[in-house]
Amino acid sequence: MKDDAQASTTAATGYRGRLAPSPTGHLHLGHARTFWFAAERARAAGGTLILRNDDLDTARHRPEFVDAMLEDLRWLGFAWSEGPDVGGVFGPYSQRERLPLYRAAMERLHAARLIFPCAHSRRDVLEAAGAPHEGAADDEPVYPKQFRPAKDAPLPPLWETSGVNWRFRVPDDEAIVFVDERCGEQRAVAGRDFGDFLVWRKDGVPSYQLACAVDDAAMQITEVVRGADLIKSTFRQILLLQALGHPAPQYFHCPLMKDENGVRLAKRHDALSLRALRERGVKPEDLLREFVASEAAERGA
Ligand code: GLU
């Protein structure tokens, strides 16, 4: 742990779950349901719930969304015992304040030659990747093998190389398998279902995959509860956790909420933001009752 500049050496016990919202817009009904799942899983296990502020998205992050996010979560009645507002031994709990940990992880990946710099633009990658793969709209394209440097090519120093993205070299053809607590066995083949993925962006910001894996390990999260849209990310994070020598937590990917047209709810559905619902007189207990009922119906179906 010596190289993890701020990592806590505290050993936690029992179930540790987390809520990990990104302050890039107002939370909506879909987030509320995902967080309800996470809070319920922690409560049922008599565990600890942590709030992590995933504020690394420099382009879309707005400070007022952080306050709004905390207020909306409190309005829903969720309580957390560690977080940016209450502190805790595994802090800081805002990702922008955790850069030394992400840098330390990068240094380990670099020393193990598991990453490589990539000067290709997103457009180059998209064009060379060819036909979009399933779920491409919100996922990285499979990185074209022809862009990958040879395994034994000299690796430039990590922090002296500006203007390049760093990617994790996935173990080709290796099957990654995990048993999801909600969705059952999940399997993906590295290099086919997903490719060499981004770990550090050329603007100096760690990728979601890296930050999430590092934090879940450092905060000793035992179960990650999140939307099913992130199942593919889980395979990548499992590879990162393995590479960094951390055990993977358990995963529970919950079903995503759709609007009346079958489109997944997103922050653009302003009418379903928790603020808009609150203004229309909706009470948190109405929402929670809905979540319980829809889950019971789904489980019973
Ligand atoms: N901050 C991420 C998001 O809002 C959550 C990721 C996660 O739960 O791992 O999509």
Side-chain angles (χ1 to χ4, degrees):
M1 280 299 217
K2 233 165 86 224
D3 53 352
D4 285 2
Q6 302 176 13
S8 169
T9 48
T10 310
T13 51
Y15 181 105
R16 288 175 59 82
R18 87 299 197 271
L19 311 176
S22 300
T24 53
H26 287 133
L27 298 182
H28 60 63
L29 205 50
H31 297 111
R33 196 166 71 134
T34 299
F35 296 148
W36 171 76
F37 271 107
E40 275 301 293
R41 301 275 302 168
R43 192 192 53 79
T48 303
L49 193 61
I50 291 122
L51 179 70
R52 188 179 81 205
N53 174 20
D54 280 7
D55 57 355
L56 287 177
D57 185 338
T58 42
R60 294 184 304 154
H61 166 275
R62 296 228 312 263
E64 61 268 30
F65 287 139
V66 179
D67 295 336
M69 182 169 99
L70 296 176
E71 191 188 297
D72 288 349
L73 291 170
R74 280 196 215 102
W75 174 73
L76 281 165
F78 298 136
W80 46 93
S81 35
E82 297 171 32
D85 54 338
V86 291
V89 291
F90 295 92
Y93 293 90
S94 289
Q95 291 192 318
R96 282 174 175 226
E97 294 166 29
R98 300 177 61 79
L99 287 174
L101 276 100
Y102 310 139
R103 284 202 197 96
M106 281 295 284
E107 277 153 23
R108 280 159 63 183
L109 296 174
H110 185 264
R113 301 181 56 81
L114 290 168
I115 53 176
F116 63 86
C118 159
H120 293 283
S121 67
R122 187 172 160 75
R123 178 185 290 198
D124 291 344
V125 172
L126 272 172
E127 277 173 12
H133 61 296
E134 207 190 322
D138 48 17
D139 197 29
E140 289 184 44
V142 178
Y143 190 70
K145 297 249 163 52
Q146 67 269 27
F147 286 177
R148 200 191 226 184
K151 236 185 178 142
D152 51 7
L155 208 51
L158 197 48
W159 307 121
E160 287 163 30
T161 322
S162 64
V164 297
N165 293 310
W166 285 84
R167 290 179 179 273
F168 183 85
R169 183 188 289 270
V170 301
D172 283 344
D173 302 325
E174 191 176 309
I176 322 294
V177 181
F178 68 95
V179 179
D180 190 273
E181 296 296 307
R182 170 68 186 224
C183 310
E185 186 175 290
Q186 304 294 311
R187 186 175 196 278
V189 177
R192 244 182 282 164
D193 296 321
F194 64 96
D196 299 335
F197 58 88
L198 208 58
V199 280
W200 201 272
R201 295 177 0 191
K202 61 177 174 212
D203 57 3
V205 178
S207 74
Y208 156 66
Q209 311 294 352
L210 182 85
C212 184
V214 167
D215 286 347
D216 286 336
M219 294 179 182
Q220 298 184 25
I221 299 301
T222 59
E223 183 177 79
V224 168
V225 179
R226 59 186 172 201
D229 54 324
L230 289 168
I231 288 183
K232 203 171 264 185
S233 289
T234 298
F235 296 111
R236 300 183 177 107
Q237 291 168 22
I238 287 174
L239 285 178
L240 283 173
L241 289 165
Q242 270 172 9
L244 294 167
H246 300 301
Q250 290 194 307
Y251 294 95
F252 181 106
H253 288 91
C254 48
L256 299 174
M257 266 184 118
K258 309 255 169 80
D259 68 6
E260 64 281 6
N261 303 316
V263 176
R264 177 153 71 82
L265 290 194
K267 284 179 178 153
R268 61 183 179 275
H269 286 80
D270 281 344
L272 294 176
S273 76
L274 296 176
R275 321 227 114 196
L277 294 172
R278 184 167 13 154
E279 270 158 33
R280 293 210 298 272
V282 174
K283 299 265 177 295
E285 51 273 25
D286 302 333
L287 298 181
L288 301 180
R289 205 175 317 110
E290 263 305 297
F291 299 157
V292 173
S294 68
E295 176 59 0
E298 200 160 317
R299 285 295 200 184

